[in-house]
C-alpha cells in the first residue's frame, strides 16, 4: 500500500473529510487530495501534523511499519 492510500485509510478511519483534515493541519483541500492520489507528498513538517491529527506514527504513514 502506498503512502497516499495509508493517509486516506487513516483519514477515513477518523471519519474526516479531506476538507476537515486540511483545516486541522493547515493545508489546502486539494493538497490532501493530491497526497492521497500520490501526485505529490507532504513535507516532513506536514507529515508530523498529519500523524498527530490522525493518531498514527510517521513510520506507518511513510512505509506502513508500525
Amino acid at each position: 500500500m502506498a503512502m497516499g492510500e495509508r493517509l486516506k485509510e487513516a483519514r477515513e478511519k477518523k471519519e474526516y473529510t479531506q476538507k476537515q483534515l486540511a483545516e486541522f493541519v493547515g493545508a489546502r483541500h486539494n493538497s490532501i487530495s493530491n497526497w492521497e492520489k500520490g501526485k505529490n507528498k507532504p513535507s516532513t513538517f506536514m507529515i508530523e501534523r498529519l500523524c498527530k491529527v490522525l493518531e498514527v506514527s510517521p513510520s506507518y504513514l511513510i512505509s506502513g511499519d508500525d
Side-chain angles (χ1 to χ4, degrees):
M1 182 184 297
M3 184 171 117
E5 293 170 314
R6 285 188 294 277
L7 175 60
K8 182 177 181 178
E9 181 178 80
R11 175 182 60 78
E12 289 177 340
K13 195 177 238 184
K14 288 290 197 180
E15 298 182 0
Y16 296 151
T17 64
Q18 288 180 342
K19 185 176 179 181
Q20 287 172 317
L21 181 57
E23 290 172 3
F24 294 152
V25 299
R28 288 191 230 138
H29 168 264
N30 63 333
S31 294
I32 304 294
S33 176
N34 287 340
W35 297 335
E36 288 183 357
K37 292 177 183 175
K39 291 185 177 181
N40 51 37
K41 293 184 180 180
S43 67
T44 303
F45 172 76
M46 192 56 69
I47 288 172
E48 290 177 13
R49 294 183 91 169
L50 289 164
C51 289
K52 185 175 180 180
V53 169
L54 297 172
E55 298 178 341
V56 297
S57 70
S59 61
Y60 168 75
L61 195 59
I62 294 168
S63 64
D65 298 332
D66 203 16

